[in-house]
């Protein structure tokens, strides 16, 4: 509640913005930001990023307002991101290898877990490709020329998930890219979000998909890696459950 009254109200079983939130993009952004700051102070919103996400009906719609990234799942709005499979392939007849990152132990979410070479949320004011180039530089020290030369958009996955611990719902669309890098290039941690990088064979990548694998990967990376293994033919369509997995990779609200 601010000086004008409650910013949110329940109507017909839904949480909506009240008249107190205003009618303009700027007013709604300020009003929602006011609420989220208070929820941060109360310890309900954690892992504050100071990064604004657009809240819109679809990826192509004009946003109704912007809100803090860490609070997006609290409202269950659609969120978007980019994930990059970092690959090294010395020749066309040689199996590629995949760069894997280990997250910093100081990360607010999934500290110390394995991760993609590069991944990040899609903030307001950047195109997808500009965000990819920015994240490549910030997270792995990939120069812009190498990133633009080796990057290839390869589709998207979508999923929804309920977090019983925080009583939040994630509704996510991830735009996926394959980034082929020279064998001589060594990624390096730049922004402190990654502890180390190492190169895996495809067999190692496949082994890491096991439920009982000893060194778990950040949850949303599994779906992107599985999509890669399917696309590249490393999982046969004769494998039981193949079509079920394929369907689940885009089971979320993808719009």
């Amino acid at each position: 509640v601010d000086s004008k009254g409650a910013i949110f109200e329940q109507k017909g079983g839904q949480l909506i913005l009240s008249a107190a939130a205003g009618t303009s993009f700027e007013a709604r952004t300020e009003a929602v930001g006011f609420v989220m700051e208070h929820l941060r102070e109360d310890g309900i919103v954690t892992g504050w990023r100071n990064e604004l996400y657009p809240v819109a009906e679809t990826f192509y719609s004009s946003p109704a307002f912007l809100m803090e990234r860490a609070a997006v799942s609290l409202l269950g709005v659609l969120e978007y991101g980019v994930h990059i499979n970092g690959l090294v392939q010395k020749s066309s007849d040689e199996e590629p290898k995949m760069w894997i990152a280990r997250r910093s132990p100081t990360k607010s979410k999934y500290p110390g877990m394995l991760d993609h070479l590069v991944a990040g949320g899609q903030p307001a004011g950047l195109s997808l490709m500009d965000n990819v180039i920015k994240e490549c530089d910030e997270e792995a020290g990939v120069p812009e020329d190498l990133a633009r030369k080796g990057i290839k958009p390869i589709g998207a996955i979508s999923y929804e998930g309920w977090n019983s611990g925080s009583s939040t719902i994630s509704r996510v669309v991830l735009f996926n890219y394959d980034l082929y890098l020279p064998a001589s290039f060594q990624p390096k941690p730049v922004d402190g979000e990654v502890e180390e990088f190492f190169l895996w064979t495809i067999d190692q990548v496949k082994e890491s998909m096991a439920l009982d694998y000893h060194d778990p990967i950040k949850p949303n990376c599994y779906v992107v890696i599985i999509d890669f293994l399917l696309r590249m033919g490393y999982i046969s369509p004769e494998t039981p459950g193949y079509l079920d997995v394929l369907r689940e990779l885009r089971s979320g609200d993808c719009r």
Side-chain angles (χ1 to χ4, degrees):
V1 179
D2 70 2
S3 59
K4 300 176 184 178
I7 301 301
F8 291 96
E9 62 183 14
Q10 284 192 323
K11 187 175 183 180
Q14 294 182 320
L15 186 68
I16 64 172
L17 290 174
S18 71
T23 56
S24 69
F25 169 83
E26 293 79 11
R28 290 189 292 260
T29 297
E30 182 179 355
V32 172
F34 173 84
V35 174
M36 297 308 151
E37 284 280 5
H38 278 274
L39 293 178
R40 177 191 186 185
E41 293 171 3
D42 292 341
I44 296 173
V45 175
T46 59
W48 197 268
R49 306 287 190 91
N50 284 319
E51 185 176 333
L52 293 176
Y53 264 24
V55 177
E57 185 177 357
T58 75
F59 182 72
Y60 308 101
S61 305
S62 298
F65 58 90
L66 304 180
M67 69 178 295
E68 160 62 30
R69 174 181 178 180
V72 168
S73 61
L74 194 66
L75 298 186
V77 299
L78 275 169
E79 52 187 304
Y80 303 89
V82 295
H83 272 236
I84 292 92
N85 298 303
L87 305 168
V88 175
Q89 188 172 24
K90 295 181 179 179
S91 63
S92 58
D93 58 352
E94 183 176 303
E95 197 171 73
K97 294 182 179 180
M98 181 179 287
W99 281 109
I100 300 293
R102 183 175 302 283
R103 293 167 67 83
S104 166
T106 62
K107 289 283 288 182
S108 61
K109 290 186 176 181
Y110 311 112
M113 280 192 173
L114 303 183
D115 202 341
H116 269 109
L117 172 73
V118 176
Q122 182 61 32
L126 277 182
S127 70
L128 286 168
M129 186 55 70
D130 284 344
N131 191 30
V132 166
I133 300 303
K134 176 183 77 71
E135 293 288 347
C136 282
D137 176 50
E138 291 180 354
E139 293 192 357
V142 180
E144 181 176 347
D145 59 333
L146 278 187
R148 291 194 182 277
K149 182 178 180 181
I151 200 73
K152 181 180 180 182
I154 45 78
I157 60 97
S158 62
Y159 63 87
E160 296 182 1
W162 170 255
N163 186 323
S164 57
S166 60
S167 296
T168 58
I169 185 169
S170 295
R171 300 169 61 230
V172 180
V173 176
L174 297 178
F175 294 93
N176 304 331
Y177 298 78
D178 288 343
L179 173 61
Y180 285 88
L181 293 165
S184 58
F185 177 76
Q186 172 66 50
K188 58 182 180 181
V190 176
D191 60 5
E193 296 192 3
V194 172
E195 185 175 42
E196 61 176 334
F197 294 98
F198 43 90
L199 203 56
W200 268 1
T201 65
I202 294 300
D203 282 343
Q204 288 174 302
V205 172
K206 291 167 70 175
E207 289 169 7
S208 72
M209 297 295 100
L211 288 173
D212 59 352
Y213 189 70
H214 68 280
D215 200 359
I217 302 174
K218 184 166 69 79
N220 67 351
C221 293
Y222 284 103
V223 286
V224 180
I225 293 174
I226 290 170
D227 176 70
F228 167 81
L229 294 172
L230 291 172
R231 283 188 293 107
M232 303 300 287
Y234 294 120
I235 299 176
S236 168
E238 297 179 4
T239 303
Y242 180 94
L243 291 177
D244 300 303
V245 172
L246 193 66
R247 182 176 60 252
E248 288 300 315
L249 291 176
R250 292 159 187 85
S251 60
D253 192 355
C254 194
R255 55 184 171 133

